[in-house]
């Protein structure tokens, strides 16, 4: 599978009491991403509050997403588990329901060494034929994998075929490109690095931004691919403050507040996460007004 372009991340809508998934609203969110011209959908990432879902909720969201998208774009399922056994269980489930790939993070309580990380990924690869996106996100997973080590896993683990780099260090992406001679697809996971990452050769950009700002990320991606540097810069800086804000404010809280500002209530994030305060909501509203997303 050749994955590229904008990979959109849906949030998980809850009922008003926070107990249970609102699948009618999840349908609308998935439609929003399709209308934003995303090239793939990655369910159950940080924006989707995957860490706060029960096993049955996680499975229901994964299954609903794959079935509703029904092959219109590829569906990637995020997996970030403390134990290898739980990661295996979820990887097998993703394969069984027809997902196209998994995005695997080595989530950690104890610090993991490279042998432990390698074994974790190798075990998952041995149990499912799905392509694996190696996800480096030390801010949430407490594990930082070097470009050299991730490329070693791509070379040595059969189904590990691509990398998502989210440290916020553009030099990591340059190093991945250089060491692999541009042969290993890597994806930008830091919104504020979108322009630099795409120019550096990233195959795509993983982002929840299309939930709120329609196809503006796709426009940026296409401008870079068309070598229209002036247009790409203009599109990026038009979005820059918004992209930085949603990360700093917490993706789930920011995207859910943005939906509410657009008149679409998707519930609050699940506690201990809290919704944006009034000051932050006002700031977000101003950004959406500037982006002509709301009136």
């Amino acid at each position: 599978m050749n994955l590229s372009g904008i990979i959109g991340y849906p949030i998980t809508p809850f009922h008003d009491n926070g107990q249970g998934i609102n699948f009618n609203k999840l349908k609308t969110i998935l439609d929003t991403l399709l209308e934003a011209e995303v090239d793939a959908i990655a369910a159950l990432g940080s924006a989707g509050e995957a860490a706060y879902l029960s096993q049955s909720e996680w499975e229901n969201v994964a299954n609903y997403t794959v079935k509703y998208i029904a092959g219109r774009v590829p569906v990637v399922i995020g997996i970030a588990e403390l134990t290898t056994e739980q990661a295996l269980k979820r990887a097998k489930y993703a394969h069984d329901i027809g997902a196209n790939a998994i995005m695997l993070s080595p989530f950690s309580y104890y610090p993991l060494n490279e042998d432990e990380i390698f074994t974790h990924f190798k075990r998952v690869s041995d149990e499912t034929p799905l392509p694996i996106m190696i996800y480096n996100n030390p801010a949430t997973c407490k594990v930082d994998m070097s470009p050299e080590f991730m490329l070693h896993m791509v070379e040595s683990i059969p189904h590990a075929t691509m990398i998502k780099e989210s440290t916020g260090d553009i030099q990591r992406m340059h190093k991945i490109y250089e060491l692999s001679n541009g042969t290993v697809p890597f994806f930008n996971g830091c919104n504020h690095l979108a322009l630099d990452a795409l120019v550096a050769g990233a195959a795509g950009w993983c982002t929840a931004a299309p939930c709120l700002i329609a196809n503006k990320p796709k426009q940026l991606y296409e401008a870079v691919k068309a070598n229209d540097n002036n247009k790409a810069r203009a599109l990026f800086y038009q979005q820059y403050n918004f992209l930085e804000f949603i990360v700093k404010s917490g993706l789930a809280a920011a995207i859910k507040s943005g939906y509410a500002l657009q008149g679409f209530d998707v519930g609050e994030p699940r506690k201990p996460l809290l919704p944006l305060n009034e000051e932050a909501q006002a700031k977000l509203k101003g950004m959406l007004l500037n982006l002509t997303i709301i009136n």
Side-chain angles (χ1 to χ4, degrees):
M1 180 187 66
N2 294 320
L3 198 64
S4 63
I6 301 299
I7 303 180
Y9 283 64
I11 55 92
T12 300
F14 298 122
H15 291 290
D16 292 340
N17 60 7
Q19 301 300 313
I21 313 299
N22 190 323
F23 288 99
N24 286 332
K25 291 185 176 180
L26 179 56
K27 172 184 178 296
T28 301
I29 292 162
L30 295 173
D31 284 336
T32 298
L33 290 172
L34 292 174
E35 290 166 6
E37 303 175 65
V38 301
D39 298 285
I41 286 174
L44 298 161
S46 300
E49 300 177 73
Y52 301 99
L53 303 181
S54 69
Q55 177 71 25
S56 62
E57 287 176 329
W58 187 94
E59 291 181 354
N60 288 337
V61 169
N63 184 60
Y64 183 89
T65 302
V66 170
K67 297 300 187 288
Y68 183 71
I69 295 302
R72 286 175 284 179
V73 297
V75 174
V76 181
I77 300 296
I79 299 173
E81 298 300 321
L82 278 170
T83 69
T84 300
E85 291 306 317
Q86 186 64 17
L88 286 170
K89 182 176 180 179
R90 293 196 166 180
K92 290 176 182 177
Y93 185 80
H95 177 251
D96 289 345
I97 63 175
N100 300 100
I102 56 173
M103 181 177 63
L104 183 60
S105 307
F107 196 76
S108 176
Y109 176 83
Y110 290 108
L112 300 179
N113 61 42
E114 289 187 349
D115 286 342
E116 290 167 331
I117 297 168
F118 186 95
T119 301
H120 181 74
F121 277 83
K122 180 68 163 54
R123 283 281 312 281
V124 173
S125 176
D126 288 345
E127 296 291 336
T128 173
L130 287 177
I132 298 173
M133 180 185 289
I134 300 169
Y135 184 14
N136 191 39
N137 187 15
T140 58
C141 293
K142 312 307 178 189
V143 174
D144 188 5
M145 298 176 284
S146 70
E148 292 84 353
F149 176 63
M150 289 189 287
L151 289 171
H152 169 62
M153 287 203 290
V154 170
E155 181 179 341
S156 306
I157 298 175
H159 303 303
T161 60
M162 48 194 159
I163 294 168
K164 179 183 174 185
E165 168 53 40
S166 297
T167 60
D169 181 0
I170 189 64
Q171 298 307 320
R172 301 285 191 100
M173 300 189 203
H174 289 313
K175 184 63 72 174
I176 292 169
Y177 186 90
E178 178 198 20
L179 291 175
S180 71
N181 293 315
T183 61
V184 175
F186 64 92
F187 295 80
N188 172 52
C190 294
N191 282 310
H192 64 281
L193 287 182
L195 178 60
D196 288 339
L198 292 171
V199 171
W205 171 18
C206 302
T207 179
C211 288
L212 296 183
I213 61 171
N215 70 343
K216 291 184 183 296
K218 184 62 176 289
Q219 291 178 38
L220 170 57
Y221 172 79
E222 291 181 337
V224 172
K225 293 304 175 185
N227 294 314
D228 191 338
N229 296 330
N230 290 333
K231 183 177 181 180
R233 278 195 298 271
L235 285 164
F236 176 67
Y237 286 114
Q238 181 188 49
Q239 303 170 47
Y240 178 78
N241 287 333
F242 167 81
L243 295 173
E244 186 178 47
F245 176 85
I246 62 174
V247 173
K248 288 185 175 180
S249 301
L251 286 172
I255 299 298
K256 288 187 171 184
S257 290
Y259 270 130
L261 289 168
Q262 295 177 13
F264 180 52
D265 183 8
V266 293
E268 295 183 354
R270 182 164 282 176
K271 291 179 175 55
L273 301 180
L274 295 174
L276 298 188
N277 61 33
E278 290 185 5
E279 180 181 357
Q281 288 185 45
K283 188 172 183 179
L284 177 57
K285 182 176 181 180
M287 293 176 184
L288 294 176
L289 284 168
N290 287 337
L291 288 165
T292 66
I293 299 301
I294 60 175
N295 297 319

